[in-house]
Amino acid sequence: MKNIRNFCIIAHIDHGKSTLADRLLEYTNTISKRDMQDQALDNMDLERERGITIKSHAIQMRYVHPANGEEYVFNLIDTPGHVDFSYEVSRSIAACEGALLLVDATQGIQAQTISNLYLAVDHDLEIIPIVNKVDMESAMIEEVQDQIIDLIGCEREDIISASGRTGIGVADILAAVVDRVPAPKGDPAAPLQTMIFDSMFNSYRGVIAYVRIMNGTLKKGERIKFYNTGKEVVAEEVGLLRLGQHQTAELSAGDVGYVITGIKVSREIKVGDTITSVANPCKEPVRGFEDVKPMVFAGLYPLDNDDFEDLRDSLEKLQLNDASLVYEPETSAALGFGFRCGFLGMLHLEIVQERLYREFDQDIITTVPNVPYFATDLKGKRTQIRQPTELPDPNHLTKVEEPYIYAQVITKPEYIGNIMTLCLEKRGILIKQHYLTPTRLEMIFHLPLAEIVFDFYDKLKSMTRGYASFDYHVIDYRETDLIKLDIKLNGEQVDALSALVHRSKAEQMGRRMCEKLKELLPRQQFQIAIQAAIGQKVVARETISALRKDVTAKCYGGDISRKRKLLEKQKEGKKRMKQFGNVEVPQEAFLKVLKLND
């Protein structure tokens, strides 16, 4: 066990985690030159296309230390950098003893660097600071080293200079992992105590659980049980996570590997649960990481109602691979049966949609995303509101509370004005601002979560030319003036487009939604009225004119009364059509209405 090292790579998005992981795999000959490709651990097409890591990826490497000639086993976990996937990072950290903290030499410390660092420090991980991309012309090595020293209080000689692209400093990093990261603690002879930190679904083998053995030994063929669900099964196969799955006879304390139990029902295995032995059970479960708290809720509905059960199965399997997704069934008058899903942010929602389409062939409609609110009625009963239809009548309410976040923005001083304007427009309150260095400024705001859900991150990036980084966490709920904005098509309410908005923004939002729908809805043989209403009061209206069909084309010359008769007949027909005609809202319209600023 003294020759095992478990560590993860943490950093802000785009600071070069996956590229550095590629060099580590190359240096230790884990992957041959022939099989090597960029982002070797990112196995999803979606990750490669977008150049981001969505899932954390575990892999085992073998390394011989040049100083003492001993062979060490490294279990490396490459983690995502985007704030929407911070739950992946927290689970990876729970399975490790050390962390490589990567900082881009051209950008310096950014918001997600700090929040990931705090996660690692909370779990008592040994931090190895690394300045990455030192080969770039715009690298500010000295300046970034000063920022790291200010942040974690280390010595300058503790900071390793590296480049994931050229391989500079890779040997120093591997030597530092051996010298600085402690070996795992645990007793191979103690009762079995194993934490599930990830899982995936294989259609042939069932659920594959990725585990970290804290104490004891897990043998192939042993009878095991899940602590929370109490289900007992046989460990059909155990093994190590190399580039593929490498089967072994047993896993003992300190190891990171996988276990296959043949369970086909995904809800029976939960990420974060503890596996123990039936013959010699442990006294208490592993305290790994807390439950996920979704921040954005949206309805997902199948395009065809017959596909409801298929969508349920797909969500179950996806949840195994993405433990931060939560869902429950719901119904809608316009869309039929579907699911109310909770996401960690808008990028997470986008990725889940894309994965459902690519991996499970599911065509879905998504409703307007919103955040959870709390409403208190006249009797003092406090209920959570997750969708617009749940909001009680205003006459029965005493107050509505919305979630507020602690938002941390790190930027260059020249963008202060732009950021202040954006945050105040979003009903934000500036709490403090201070200089981290003469060229880097930290600003702290309290903002309503609902205001940052749609386009805040994109606007922030464009206003600051990409030089601002942003991180947040929810702090509390505060009273707000919330109203329900309804969209009506020819007087028929479309509940999938209803939204909960602050009174001051309702009219503006209603106008923009009506204008966008006018562009997106196909024209019909009859006129379509698009209205945005608050209760009975219509605050905005757009009209889609009917397709023109020239019914008088066959009349050439002759009496005008003939033409008039045909036009009157057409007018009657259109009136009747309007009474019975259905306005179909295409799927693209639902998605594009959300991106009102495109």
Side-chain angles (χ1 to χ4, degrees):
M1 229 168 86
K2 68 179 176 52
N3 284 19
I4 295 176
R5 299 288 184 273
N6 298 322
F7 65 99
C8 57
I9 306 181
I10 55 174
H12 189 82
I13 193 167
D14 275 344
H15 279 209
K17 295 177 294 301
S18 298
T19 312
L20 183 69
D22 290 350
R23 298 294 81 75
L24 296 175
L25 296 173
E26 260 182 0
Y27 193 93
T28 55
N29 296 320
T30 306
I31 297 182
S32 64
K33 285 241 183 307
R34 192 179 65 180
D35 296 332
M36 193 63 204
Q37 55 177 338
D38 287 345
Q39 286 175 265
L41 292 179
D42 292 349
N43 49 17
M44 258 187 259
D45 292 342
L46 207 53
E47 291 177 310
R48 294 182 180 287
E49 282 167 28
R50 293 180 177 235
I52 59 173
T53 302
I54 293 167
K55 282 287 303 163
S56 54
H57 302 278
I59 191 165
Q60 190 181 87
M61 307 182 286
R62 300 204 169 251
Y63 169 71
V64 178
H65 198 302
N68 58 21
E70 283 193 53
E71 188 182 56
Y72 289 84
V73 171
F74 286 176
N75 290 310
L76 157 71
I77 303 179
D78 177 25
T79 64
H82 197 283
V83 63
D84 277 16
F85 306 112
S86 55
Y87 190 59
E88 290 284 327
V89 183
S90 78
R91 302 207 317 269
S92 306
I93 283 172
C96 294
E97 278 81 36
L100 305 182
L101 179 73
L102 234 61
V103 183
D104 187 332
T106 63
Q107 296 185 48
I109 283 175
Q110 298 199 304
Q112 201 60 31
T113 317
I114 296 173
S115 71
N116 285 344
L117 171 69
Y118 288 160
L119 272 175
V121 170
D122 286 348
H123 281 78
D124 293 332
L125 262 60
E126 181 62 40
I127 308 292
I128 300 176
I130 300 168
V131 177
N132 195 23
K133 304 189 187 179
V134 293
D135 59 316
M136 304 279 277
E137 283 179 22
S138 54
M140 312 170 290
I141 301 168
E142 294 282 318
E143 199 180 313
V144 174
Q145 284 180 341
D146 291 339
Q147 291 175 20
I148 293 173
I149 291 165
D150 286 348
L151 181 66
I152 62 177
C154 62
E155 300 297 323
R156 193 176 290 275
E157 52 271 22
D158 293 342
I159 302 170
I160 300 170
S161 294
S163 163
R165 195 163 59 100
T166 61
I168 298 168
V170 169
D172 298 338
I173 293 170
L174 290 166
V177 169
V178 171
D179 300 336
R180 297 196 218 168
V181 175
K185 296 180 178 67
D187 178 3
L192 179 65
Q193 196 182 34
T194 301
M195 180 181 75
I196 304 174
F197 68 89
D198 207 349
S199 59
M200 62 170 285
F201 188 83
N202 180 306
S203 35
Y204 302 107
R205 309 296 308 270
V207 181
I208 301 171
Y210 293 162
V211 295
R212 158 73 200 271
I213 314 283
M214 296 299 186
N215 283 302
T217 304
L218 174 59
K219 295 185 176 71
K220 180 182 176 179
E222 186 179 356
R223 195 153 182 79
I224 54 172
K225 90 169 176 182
F226 296 95
Y227 208 95
N228 286 347
T229 57
K231 187 172 178 67
E232 295 185 11
V233 287
V234 171
E236 291 177 5
E237 182 180 315
V238 298
L240 301 167
L241 296 162
R242 295 199 178 143
L243 195 56
Q245 289 163 353
H246 182 76
Q247 194 172 338
T248 57
E250 62 177 42
L251 295 172
S252 70
D255 280 334
V256 172
Y258 70 92
V259 56
I260 299 175
T261 57
I263 289 178
K264 287 278 173 45
V265 183
S266 41
R267 71 177 79 91
E268 289 177 0
I269 289 188
K270 283 201 163 36
V271 168
D273 200 354
T274 300
I275 295 177
T276 187
S277 163
V278 172
N280 187 11
C282 59
K283 298 280 186 291
E284 55 182 36
V286 182
R287 293 271 167 262
F289 34 87
E290 65 280 354
D291 277 343
V292 61
K293 297 181 186 70
M295 288 300 134
V296 174
F297 289 91
L300 297 186
Y301 292 86
L303 221 49
D304 183 346
N305 259 334
D306 295 344
D307 297 337
F308 174 72
E309 285 303 326
D310 286 351
L311 180 58
R312 186 199 295 273
D313 290 346
S314 304
L315 281 169
E316 263 183 27
K317 287 169 187 169
L318 185 59
Q319 192 181 38
L320 275 175
N321 200 240
D322 180 356
S324 47
L325 170 69
V326 294
Y327 64 91
E328 57 187 35
E330 71 164 8
T331 53
S332 149
L335 302 169
F337 293 104
F339 294 93
R340 166 94 350 202
C341 301
F343 308 93
L344 296 183
M346 285 299 277
L347 178 66
H348 188 206
L349 162 61
E350 217 173 296
I351 296 292
V352 166
Q353 251 176 294
E354 190 70 24
R355 287 185 70 184
L356 281 169
Y357 177 67
R358 289 187 186 201
E359 295 171 30
F360 302 100
D361 207 19
Q362 291 291 327
D363 279 324
I364 51 173
I365 292 172
T366 312
T367 62
V368 179
N370 59 283
V371 301
Y373 298 94
F374 279 100
T376 309
D377 62 16
L378 297 172
K379 294 175 182 171
K381 188 184 171 195
R382 192 166 179 256
T383 49
Q384 192 177 36
I385 306 297
R386 290 185 186 175
Q387 54 180 333
T389 49
E390 290 176 359
L391 187 72
D393 189 270
N395 301 332
H396 300 156
L397 285 175
T398 52
K399 64 176 178 180
V400 178
E401 296 158 290
E402 67 176 337
Y404 263 71
I405 58 164
Y406 175 95
Q408 175 193 36
V409 180
I410 295 178
T411 186
K412 290 187 167 186
E414 57 260 41
Y415 301 117
I416 291 181
N418 291 355
I419 292 169
M420 290 285 278
T421 308
L422 175 65
C423 291
L424 295 175
E425 189 186 293
K426 300 282 186 186
R427 299 189 284 128
I429 306 157
L430 179 67
I431 302 302
K432 67 171 183 184
Q433 62 180 49
H434 68 277
Y435 284 84
L436 299 168
T437 69
T439 57
R440 292 180 75 71
L441 172 82
E442 181 186 47
M443 302 170 81
I444 305 293
F445 291 92
H446 284 181
L447 280 157
L449 179 61
E451 294 287 348
I452 70 152
V453 162
F454 289 113
D455 51 6
F456 180 83
Y457 197 66
D458 299 338
K459 275 188 174 176
L460 181 71
K461 284 288 181 196
S462 58
M463 278 180 168
T464 59
R465 299 183 189 163
Y467 279 111
S469 61
F470 172 68
D471 186 42
Y472 69 90
H473 59 263
V474 173
I475 39 173
D476 57 11
Y477 280 78
R478 301 181 188 177
E479 199 168 328
T480 184
D481 188 6
L482 192 75
I483 51 170
K484 183 176 157 211
L485 181 72
D486 292 319
I487 300 293
K488 296 179 178 181
L489 299 178
N490 280 349
E492 288 288 318
Q493 190 174 315
V494 184
D495 60 354
L497 290 174
S498 295
L500 295 170
V501 289
H502 191 265
R503 193 179 292 275
S504 62
K505 303 276 176 87
E507 201 167 314
Q508 177 194 358
M509 175 98 162
R511 269 207 195 101
R512 278 160 58 198
M513 282 180 93
C514 288
E515 284 163 12
K516 195 78 177 173
L517 279 167
K518 186 179 180 182
E519 289 170 31
L520 297 169
L521 291 180
R523 285 171 74 188
Q524 305 284 350
Q525 294 274 319
F526 52 92
Q527 196 182 64
I528 303 171
I530 306 166
Q531 295 169 310
I534 300 167
Q536 297 303 312
K537 183 187 172 191
V538 174
V539 291
R541 174 181 167 131
E542 292 287 337
T543 306
I544 299 177
S545 51
L547 282 170
R548 185 169 182 275
K549 184 182 176 188
D550 191 359
V551 287
T552 61
K554 57 189 175 192
C555 300
Y556 45 91
D559 188 4
I560 186 73
S561 59
R562 174 81 182 123
K563 286 185 178 178
R564 201 166 283 147
K565 191 175 173 187
L566 285 169
L567 287 168
E568 285 299 321
K569 193 175 174 189
Q570 184 190 34
K571 200 170 164 187
E572 282 298 313
K574 287 201 171 183
K575 198 171 169 185
R576 197 161 68 248
M577 221 187 266
K578 192 174 177 179
Q579 283 172 358
F580 300 109
N582 267 336
V583 182
E584 287 292 322
V585 183
Q587 188 189 359
E588 301 81 64
F590 281 106
L591 305 183
K592 286 178 181 166
V593 166
L594 313 183
K595 298 182 178 173
L596 291 169
N597 284 19
D598 287 5

